[in-house]
Each structure stands twice: as structure tokens, then as C-alpha cells.
Amino acid sequence: MPRGVARATLRSMTPLPPPAEELRLLDAELWQLDARRTQLLARRAWLVASLRSSSPAAPPLPPTVPRPEASAPRVQNVLLLLGGILLTVAAIAFTLVSWGHLGITGRALVLGTVTLAVLAAPLPLLRRGLRSTAESVAGLGLALTVLDAYALHEAALTGTDGTGYAAGAAAVLAGLWAAYGRGLGALRLPLPAALVAAQFPLVLWAVAAGADPHAVATALLVTAGLDTVLALVLPAGAVGAIRVTATAGGYGLGGWGVLAAGWLSWTATGPGAAARAAVLLAFAAVIALVAAARLPEPGVAAGTAVAGGLLLVAAGGGPLRAALPAGWAVPVHLAFGVALLAAVRADRLPEPVRQGLVRAAAAVQALALLWAVPLVVVTLLGPLGWAERPWRGEPSDARAAVTVHTPWPPYAGQALLVLVAVAGVLFLAGRHEARRPWARTGALVLAWAGCVALPAVLGLPYVAALAVLGALTVATVFLPTPWPALAGSLHLAFLSLATQSATLTVLSALTVSCAAASRWPRLTPVAAPAALGYATALAAATGAAAGWQPSHTALLVLCVPAAAALTAARLGASPATVPVETAGAAAALLALGLAVTDAPMLATVLAACATIAAGTAARPDRRQAAYPAAALFLLAAWVRLAAWDVTTPEAYTLPVTVPALLVGAWRRHRDPLTRSWTAYGPGLAATLVPSLAAAWRDPEWPRPLLLGAAALLVTLLGARHRLRAPLLLGGSVLVLDALHELAPYLVQVADALPRWVPPRSPESCCSPWVRPTSGDCGTSGTCGRCWAG
């Protein structure tokens, strides 16, 4: 406590808030001040406008000083640049237009004097601190030296070759500009300009000497290499412009040199020309890798290393591609791409270079796999063509079996070698902990694809190919993932469609194998539904082989849904339960499709499906299956009545409807929450729908009348007790029955319409309810009930 301060005074003083709270208060105060300032400015603007409109003699407001849009140094630089450009244009115009009016001495004196004066002018400018002016004047002097060289050639050396003279002039100017820049160390323009001029001598000398494309590419790469060395040796800072210029020259000329060397390697017709192009590519690769090892930026270094690695692969594969037969170019380049991975193991390589070489090797392998994709596609998808024309006869070999609709790709053996090689590389890469999951998976997939394509590549007999693929399918069961085994089994199943015996044998083996594999919990979600699917295909194939009608084959197919229901009940809450039930439902749909042309058999199949669904509904977790079971039972009953051509369906439906309604009423009495569709829907639909179908075919009036009365009674009961099922079912049947009875009268009303009704064609004027009489459209082309004709 400070001396001389009472305790009461200290208690009355306001303590300082915490820093966060104080910052919040300050922000709130500043926001209020900004809001108040905005209000005052708006008020001021309104007052100013009012004064100007009401009092013309009001005192003028103080003028606002405009802000400059550009700084003084920037304006100075723009003016100096424009001045230098204009002086350069004037010098060029003087050299081209006025040169012929002067003698030799006059020409030399004029250009020499002007050039020396301009080159000497930066010295006093630098002493006065006018660096920008000195840079502009120095640029003008460098441009004048180019004009001097051009004037010298036009005046005294006209017989000299233009390209060779340009090469020598570029070299001399590069040396002079470099010396001039070193003498005036404060200027930044002469040294980069000298480096730009130094890009041309070697290339121009090669062109002037009539060198071949290899020599020109060599000149480009040598110049790019010198630029690279200069860019790596010079530090950033005072000579940053020189470093940037050298880097741009290295990338630019190096890119053109690489393109030229690559074109020469691709178009080489013999090992000698390919070897010369390979030397150029290797030289470019060395430049790129050395630069990558010295670059400080990791990203740029890694990208440059990728380019170097790809150039090494192209350099190694070019001569061998020219020497080996066609089809070996990709495997050879792949071999050199794999060899890059061996260089990665060197400890002396910097990390960016190592990463770049790995990416280059990965790019080479990816391109090689892309080249091998047609072989895999034809091998895997080619057997699908047998589904269009099964059992057409045994193919000559495995290659003919997979090329039903597609041609065989060229160089299949080399493509198979590529698959195996990349699979091996990925398998070795999987030893690294970080790359193990995806590398091992990729290796297994590629190895499986290669094994599937092997019988077709070797041209094995058809039966031997089936045996090999079957053994492969069994072997892939032991892989960590079951999908290769499933894909292999599908491929084998389609491939077996060529002959009847092969189809039955392969489908039987696949059914048994998948059923056995489903005993392992890891494979059950895939193997169990696969076994049901192959069992369905086997049942259909067995019926077709026995010459059965499709409707009779449906009974054999129904064994699969029954087995699926039993298997799902045994599995319980296993993840494989839903796939198994889905496979069973698909088999049931196939059975219905096979029996749809035979009404009695369709009724039997529907009843069987209803029985299976009812059995499934007995499980506590599948109570909802009772609804499709009831619907299937009703459909079976209706189809059976239609198949028997029953004219009085009520004799068969009422004995079912009455007990069903009583059971429904008893259930709603015990459980008032039971829905009316569950309690009364099946019983009402069992009689109303078949009776409606019979009423529509009955030409007499008692049946429609009785059906309408019954439907009206059901509708009223549903409305009275607010039950949705009786209301909707009874109302729908009542409306349809009434429309059927009113249809003839509606047609007669339509026929009696006046003549302003739009005319109709003779084909559509007669109603299907009333047959045309003699003299109608059917005989004379004019209907007696309408005026169309």
C-alpha cells in the first residue's frame, strides 16, 4: 500500500480491468467513434449541399489538394525509358535512311562519336547520383553498338556470311558489354545484356558451318550448360539479375535442346544415330541432375530431378529401341526406369534429387502400365461376348475364347512382361513400412491380371485355360482381399459359356468352392452371396441343358431363394445376412421372369415365393416380410383363378375373405394400434380385385350391381370407422365399376355431339364399346354415328 493513502480511498478507487477486457472496451469505444464520425461526415455533406443550393454568395470551401497518382521516381523512370526508346529509334532511322549519304569517314566519325559519347555519359551521371538516367543512357549505348556492328557489315564486310558474322558479332559484343559492365560496376544493365548476347554465338556458328541437327542440338545444350553453371556459381544479391538471366537461358535453350535430341532419338533409323541422340539426352540429364543437386529450393530441385531422370531413361532406351525388334521399346524403357530406383539407394544424393528420381521412375512405370492396359481389358472383358451366343462350340484356344467380339492387341507378350515387372517392383517397394499397404495391393492386382492374361498370351488349349484359371481363382481366396477371387470367378464363369459341359462343370465347381469359402468369417459377406448367384446360374443352365421349358426351370431356380432364407436365418446378425437375402431375392425375381409366360406355373412360383417370405417373417428381425408374403399369396390366388378361367371367383375368394376379416378384427380388438391395411387389406383385396376383373368381362348387369353395392358398403364402413384400407379399396372398386357401367352411355353422348365438335378420323370415330353397323366406317368409310368421312 502506498504511504499517505487511506484504506477508504483505496476501496473507493476503480480497479483496472484485465487486458482482454480492456481491449474489448477500447474496441467498442473506437467503433462508436467511427460511427459518430460517419454521421458527422454525412451531416457535413448535407449542409454543404444546402449552402450551395440556397446561397450562391456563400464563402467557397477551402480547395482540396489532389493526391499525386504516381511517385516522382516512377515518373522519372518512365520518362527516361521513353527517352531512351526514342533515341534508339532515331539512331536506327539514321543508320537505315541517312547512311548512304555519308562517306566512309563520315559514317565512322558519326557512329563512333555518338557511340563513345553515349557510352561515356553514364560516368558523370553516376557521380551526380542519377543512376536511373545512367541506366537509360547505357542501354542506348549498348543498342548503338549493335547498330555499329550492323553498319560495319553493310559498309565494309558485305561479302561475309551473315550467320557467321552475326555469331562473331554476338561474341564480340558480349565481351565488350561484359567489360563495360565490369568497368561501371554501379550499372545493372550491361552484364545481363552481355549474357543475353552470349546465348547466340555457338548456335549461330553451328548453323553457319552447315552442321547437322546433332551439332546444332549440341550447341544448344552446351550453351544451356554454361548458363546453368553460371546461375549456380553466382550468388543472389548484387548480381541477381545476371542469375535470373542465366537461369532463363538455361531453361530456355535446354528445353529446345532436349526437344531436338528427343526428336533425333525418335526418328533415328539405326543404332548409330540413336547412340548420338542418346549422348545428347544423357548430357542434358547430367545438367539437370547437377542443377537439382545445387538448387536451394526443394520443390524446384525435385522437379528438375524428375526431368533429369526421364532424360536418363530416354537416353538409355533409345539405342536399344533402334536395335531390338518392334514392341520392345516400352519394356526397354521400363527397365531403365526401374534402374533409376537403384540409384535412389545411394546415400550421397540429396533428398530432393532422390525424390525426383523416384517420381521419374514412377512416371515411367505408369506410362508402361498404360501401354499394357489393352491386354488386360481384352482378357477380362472379352469373355462377356459369350453371354450373347452361349454354347456355340469349343474355341480353338484360350486366345480365341477371349476375343469373341474384340481383336487381339499387338505385342501381348511384351505387355505381359510389363505387368509382371511392375508387380515385382511394387512388391519390393512394399518392404518399406510407409508404402506397404498400397504397394502390396498394387502388386497383387497386377500379378493377378498377369496370371489371368497368361493362358491367352501363351495360346493354351481351351480346357487347359479353364483349369489354370480355376486354380488361380482358388489360390486368390487366400489373399487379404476377396475381390480378386470374385473377379476371377466371374471371368471363369463367362469364359465357360462357350460349351455346355464347360458351363455346367465350372458353375458347379464355383458353387461348391464359394460355399466352402463362406465358412470363413472373413469371406462370408462375399462368398455366400456369390455361391447363391452361381447356384442360380447353375439351375438355369441345368434346365436349359435338359431341354425344359423356362417355366419349369423356374421351379429349379426357386431352390436358391429357399436356401438363401435358411442361410440368412442361420447367420442372424452377421454382416453377410443382407447380401445373402439380396441374392435370394434376385433369384426369386429370375424365377418369376422365367414363369411369366405360363399362368398356372406362375401361380405356383408366386405361392412358393410367398411361402419363403412368410417363413422369413417368422424371424423377429424380419417381421416386415409378412407384407410381401401376403401380397404374393394374393397374386398367386388371382393368377390361379385367371389360369382356370373361373367365371365366378367369389366361390373361391369369399371362403378366404371372411376368415381373414374375422382374424383382422380380432387382432385390432387385441391391439387397437394395428393398421387397417394389416388387418383388413388382404381379406378385402382377395375378393374385391378378382370380382372387379370378372365384372369388367361380364356383359350382364347383376354382377356389377352386386359388386358396386358391396364396394359402397365397404366404403361407408371405412368412412364410419375412419379406416383407410376399407375406404380406399372400396372407393377405388366402386369408381372403376361405375365407370365401366357408364362407358356405353358416355360413348353415345359423345356420338350425339353437334357438328362444331372438331372432326375425328374414321379410324378413331367408332367406340370399342359399340361395334359399327352396316354402312359405318368399317364398310363404306363413313360412320353413321359421326360426320367424319
Side-chain angles (χ1 to χ4, degrees):
M1 177 189 301
R3 295 182 179 179
V5 180
R7 294 183 180 271
T9 303
L10 290 176
R11 284 194 299 268
S12 63
M13 293 176 61
T14 302
L16 293 177
E21 180 66 18
E22 185 177 1
L23 179 61
R24 188 185 64 80
L25 294 175
L26 289 176
D27 290 339
E29 292 292 337
L30 290 175
W31 181 83
Q32 293 177 0
L33 290 175
D34 291 338
R36 182 58 178 166
R37 183 175 184 275
T38 303
Q39 294 175 357
L40 293 176
L41 289 175
R43 180 65 178 173
R44 180 183 181 278
W46 182 82
L47 291 174
V48 170
S50 300
L51 290 175
R52 286 178 178 177
S53 60
S54 61
S55 177
L61 297 174
T64 303
V65 180
R67 296 181 59 187
E69 297 182 357
S71 60
R74 184 168 298 178
V75 174
Q76 181 185 9
N77 293 334
V78 171
L79 293 176
L80 291 174
L81 178 62
L82 291 176
I85 292 174
L86 292 176
L87 287 175
T88 305
V89 171
I92 294 174
F94 170 77
T95 304
L96 296 177
V97 177
S98 303
W99 186 259
H101 300 286
L102 298 175
I104 298 297
T105 305
R107 298 170 185 175
L109 288 175
V110 170
L111 273 181
T113 303
V114 173
T115 303
L116 291 176
V118 173
L119 291 176
L123 290 174
L125 294 175
L126 289 175
R127 293 193 189 99
R128 294 178 177 271
L130 301 175
R131 182 173 177 177
S132 299
T133 307
E135 293 281 359
S136 300
V137 175
L140 175 61
L142 298 181
L144 288 175
T145 57
V146 177
L147 293 176
D148 290 338
Y150 170 74
L152 179 62
H153 178 268
E154 293 295 325
L157 301 174
T158 55
T160 307
D161 177 63
T163 306
Y165 178 79
V172 172
L173 289 176
L176 292 177
W177 291 353
Y180 179 70
R182 297 291 293 178
L184 300 176
L187 296 179
R188 295 176 293 182
L189 181 61
L191 289 179
L195 187 56
V196 171
Q199 308 298 312
F200 302 100
L202 287 179
V203 180
L204 293 178
W205 272 329
V207 175
D212 58 357
H214 291 84
V216 176
T218 302
L220 288 171
L221 292 176
V222 169
T223 306
L226 295 176
D227 289 335
T228 304
V229 172
L230 185 61
L232 295 175
V233 170
L234 292 176
V239 290
I242 305 176
R243 193 166 183 264
V244 171
T245 306
T247 302
Y251 278 111
L253 294 181
W256 284 109
V258 166
L259 290 177
W263 178 78
L264 292 172
S265 177
W266 182 259
T267 58
T269 56
R276 295 177 62 189
V279 172
L280 295 176
L281 292 173
F283 179 54
V286 170
I287 295 174
L289 292 176
V290 171
R294 297 288 302 274
L295 286 173
E297 299 85 358
V300 179
T304 308
V306 169
L310 294 177
L311 290 173
L312 282 179
V313 172
L320 293 179
R321 177 185 57 82
L324 293 174
W328 287 97
V330 174
V332 164
H333 286 84
L334 176 62
F336 282 95
V338 173
L340 283 180
L341 297 176
V344 175
R345 301 175 65 88
D347 297 334
R348 297 181 180 179
L349 291 177
E351 185 61 26
V353 177
R354 183 181 289 107
Q355 293 179 1
L357 292 178
V358 170
R359 294 173 185 174
V364 172
Q365 295 176 52
L367 293 175
L369 287 178
L370 187 63
W371 179 75
V373 162
L375 173 65
V376 179
V377 172
V378 170
T379 304
L380 294 179
L381 302 183
L384 296 179
W386 289 110
E388 242 184 80
R389 47 178 190 179
W391 300 352
R392 295 297 181 91
E394 181 176 339
S396 58
D397 54 12
R399 184 174 301 179
V402 300
T403 54
V404 184
H405 296 300
T406 55
W408 184 248
Y411 314 122
Q414 291 85 338
L416 179 61
L417 180 61
V418 166
L419 292 174
V420 174
V422 177
V425 172
L426 291 177
F427 182 78
L428 294 177
R431 295 182 300 179
H432 195 277
E433 187 68 27
R435 296 189 294 265
R436 179 171 298 173
W438 62 266
R440 289 291 175 87
T441 302
L444 291 176
V445 171
L446 292 178
W448 172 80
C451 293
V452 170
L454 181 62
V457 173
L458 298 180
L460 296 180
Y462 176 68
V463 178
L466 292 179
V468 171
L469 293 175
L472 175 64
T473 303
V474 174
T476 51
V477 172
F478 300 98
L479 295 178
T481 175
W483 300 112
L486 180 61
S489 64
L490 288 174
H491 174 74
L492 181 61
F494 280 103
L495 196 64
S496 67
L497 295 177
T499 63
Q500 177 179 316
S501 58
T503 301
L504 296 176
T505 303
V506 169
L507 290 178
S508 301
L510 289 177
T511 302
V512 174
S513 301
C514 292
S518 64
R519 297 177 63 86
W520 293 332
R522 179 178 62 88
L523 301 176
T524 303
V526 177
L532 294 173
Y534 291 130
T536 304
L538 177 61
T542 302
W548 295 354
Q549 295 294 329
S551 56
H552 296 139
T553 305
L555 296 177
L556 187 60
V557 174
L558 280 176
C559 299
V560 177
L566 295 175
T567 304
R570 185 179 60 86
L571 291 174
S574 171
T577 302
V578 174
V580 166
E581 292 175 342
T582 304
L589 289 177
L590 177 61
L592 292 174
L594 292 174
V596 73
T597 57
D598 189 348
M601 193 60 67
L602 178 60
T604 303
V605 172
L606 285 170
C609 293
T611 304
I612 296 172
T616 303
R619 294 161 47 192
D621 58 336
R622 291 293 185 267
R623 298 299 188 191
Q624 299 298 326
Y627 298 107
L632 289 172
F633 273 124
L634 285 177
L635 287 175
W638 296 342
V639 172
R640 177 60 65 183
L641 293 176
W644 285 343
D645 198 14
V646 175
T647 59
T648 309
E650 293 81 6
Y652 300 91
T653 58
L654 285 177
V656 177
T657 296
V658 173
L661 293 178
L662 293 177
V663 171
W666 174 75
R667 183 174 179 181
R668 280 186 58 84
H669 177 71
R670 296 194 59 182
D671 185 8
L673 297 179
T674 303
R675 299 180 60 185
S676 62
W677 286 107
T678 304
Y680 305 120
L684 292 174
T687 295
L688 290 179
V689 176
S691 298
L692 179 63
W696 275 49
R697 297 194 304 267
D698 193 350
E700 303 296 333
W701 60 269
R703 181 187 297 275
L705 180 60
L706 293 176
L707 177 62
L712 178 60
L713 178 60
V714 170
T715 304
L716 294 177
L717 290 175
R720 173 66 178 80
H721 297 283
R722 298 181 181 179
L723 299 176
R724 185 174 298 177
L727 180 63
L728 293 181
L729 284 175
S732 301
V733 172
L734 179 61
V735 170
L736 292 175
D737 186 57
L739 288 176
H740 175 267
E741 293 304 310
L742 290 176
Y745 302 100
L746 293 177
V747 171
Q748 293 179 8
V749 171
D751 291 340
L753 290 175
R755 294 180 179 272
W756 48 261
V757 176
R760 295 177 296 171
S761 62
E763 292 80 2
S764 62
C765 65
C766 292
S767 170
W769 302 98
V770 181
R771 298 184 179 275
T773 59
S774 176
D776 291 337
C777 301
T779 57
S780 63
T782 302
C783 182
R785 295 181 176 83
C786 67
W787 57 278

